Amino acid sequence: MGKVTGFLEISRHDRTYEKPEVRLKSYDEFVLPLPAEELNGQAARCMDCGIPFCHNGCPVNNQIPDWNNLVYKEQWEQAVVNLHSTNNFPEFTGRVCPAPCEAACTLNIDDNPVTIKTIECAIVDRGWAEGWIKPIPPTHSTGKTVAVVGSGPAGMACAQQLARVGHAVTLIEKQDRIGGLLRYGIPDFKMEKHHVDRRVDQMAAEGVSFRTNTDVGTDVSIDDLLAEFDAVVLAGGAEWPRNLDVTGRELDGIHYAMDFLTQQNKRDAGDDEATAAPFGTISAKGKHVVVIGGGDTGSDCIGTSARQGAAKITQIEILPKPPVKENKAMVWPDWPTKLRSSHAHEEGCERDWAVLTKNAVGANGRVTALDCVRVEWEKTPDGRMAMKEVAGSAFQIKADLVLLAMGFLGPRRGALLEQSGVTLDPRGNVLADTVQYRTSRDKLFAAGDMRRGQSLVVWAIREGRQCARAVDLFLMGTSTLPR
């Protein structure tokens, strides 16, 4: 432990944002880092608990008290080494992870957790700035070949781990660039894409090969991959969006959130409009935008719409408004259900809860409004929550652009799953356990959202790392890779 009384003497202080009127002028990141001397103090607040509950909240098994102590002692290079021992891409999680580790922090009992996410991001950013982060090429070749399908955080982590122990790894991506959700699902203002590019360069130097613009199931079959490679990993994500099944859904102006977000990211990357908008331009400029869904994807739609110049943005959620503050005695150290406001909500947005969309109204083939009704949630005798419409509560929201951010149902149905012939679990995800990560088909593995369903980047990285160990064991009979 660093400073024994640090948590008593030093108040929590976290990163801040550029003012909305400044950050809305670009798609650049707008988080203002803390200076190094202040980070030392924030790290000193870590209590190095007898039971580090932050470990309970961190899916990727970060050794949080250890690198907090190293930052406090200004041993930054060793902190970089420690951080990378559990997390391949801490600059991703340090920017987009909701930080369940902070919710589990002992100091969160009185709402003052250690700024774990900020310290993590500072460690890796300094590591890159100082040149401490370098490729780790394998010391030998195993002669084994592995294909990883899907280049999101799970696929990238799996491919990097396997390459480092000497397997010849090919990372296959249906899009034109590597990165998956990191590249095209997360707006640049939350994470600029040079962070992904830098890791791709590192992986290339470690021996990973890349195949982009390759849609497995269409451009190449699963059978062909299984014949070409000694093992194949499915890490394609959960990309099947939940639809809005109402009258008027076919109207122009109603789009899935990912189509909207991907298009803007392509523009930010310098693609021409024909490439960025193959199915037509989706723009919020001057429009009344309604975002359906209250999660992170909905927040990303709000921030993007604000930067495009929307006239008005409204976010609606079918669930009731959560409490402003959780009951710590009931939920700590688990992730609490409570009201969460993101940076996007500060940028100009009205929010409404317990709202059900009944119909989409249009004129001349375009959406003009949504017919909505308020709902109540009641517990049924079997303990489930059931929704009931509130009589006389119908109302209408003006809408020129409707963005569907209601979550995902699992991996897309199509040629890849059909050709693979793998067994699905009751939720519609690819069935595989968290030890062997094997599907029902020989030589075929699955990890990340395709296996577990819609989840966090940090969970994807963990599954990619664990799956890499499982594949290494399958190929070699033993493995030095961590779980």
Side-chain angles (χ1 to χ4, degrees), residues 412 417 479:
R412 286 187 185 274
L417 286 183
S479 179

mmCIF file of all heavy atoms in Angstrom, residues 412 417 479:
data_model
loop_
_atom_site.group_PDB
_atom_site.id
_atom_site.type_symbol
_atom_site.label_atom_id
_atom_site.label_comp_id
_atom_site.label_asym_id
_atom_site.label_seq_id
_atom_site.Cartn_x
_atom_site.Cartn_y
_atom_site.Cartn_z
ATOM 1 N N ARG A 412 -25.931 -11.960 -35.807
ATOM 2 C CA ARG A 412 -26.823 -11.888 -36.964
ATOM 3 C C ARG A 412 -27.108 -13.284 -37.519
ATOM 4 O O ARG A 412 -26.230 -14.129 -37.603
ATOM 5 C CB ARG A 412 -26.193 -11.027 -38.064
ATOM 6 C CG ARG A 412 -26.196 -9.542 -37.783
ATOM 7 C CD ARG A 412 -25.716 -8.779 -38.994
ATOM 8 N NE ARG A 412 -25.591 -7.353 -38.737
ATOM 9 C CZ ARG A 412 -26.597 -6.488 -38.853
ATOM 10 N NH1 ARG A 412 -27.795 -6.925 -39.228
ATOM 11 N NH2 ARG A 412 -26.410 -5.211 -38.613
ATOM 12 N N LEU A 417 -23.668 -18.340 -39.585
ATOM 13 C CA LEU A 417 -24.217 -19.270 -38.611
ATOM 14 C C LEU A 417 -24.796 -20.510 -39.289
ATOM 15 O O LEU A 417 -24.678 -21.628 -38.782
ATOM 16 C CB LEU A 417 -25.277 -18.585 -37.762
ATOM 17 C CG LEU A 417 -24.776 -17.603 -36.699
ATOM 18 C CD1 LEU A 417 -25.933 -17.067 -35.888
ATOM 19 C CD2 LEU A 417 -23.746 -18.247 -35.786
ATOM 20 N N SER A 479 -0.347 -24.685 -22.226
ATOM 21 C CA SER A 479 -0.360 -23.261 -22.585
ATOM 22 C C SER A 479 0.264 -22.432 -21.476
ATOM 23 O O SER A 479 0.068 -22.710 -20.278
ATOM 24 C CB SER A 479 -1.786 -22.781 -22.839
ATOM 25 O OG SER A 479 -1.801 -21.394 -23.163
#
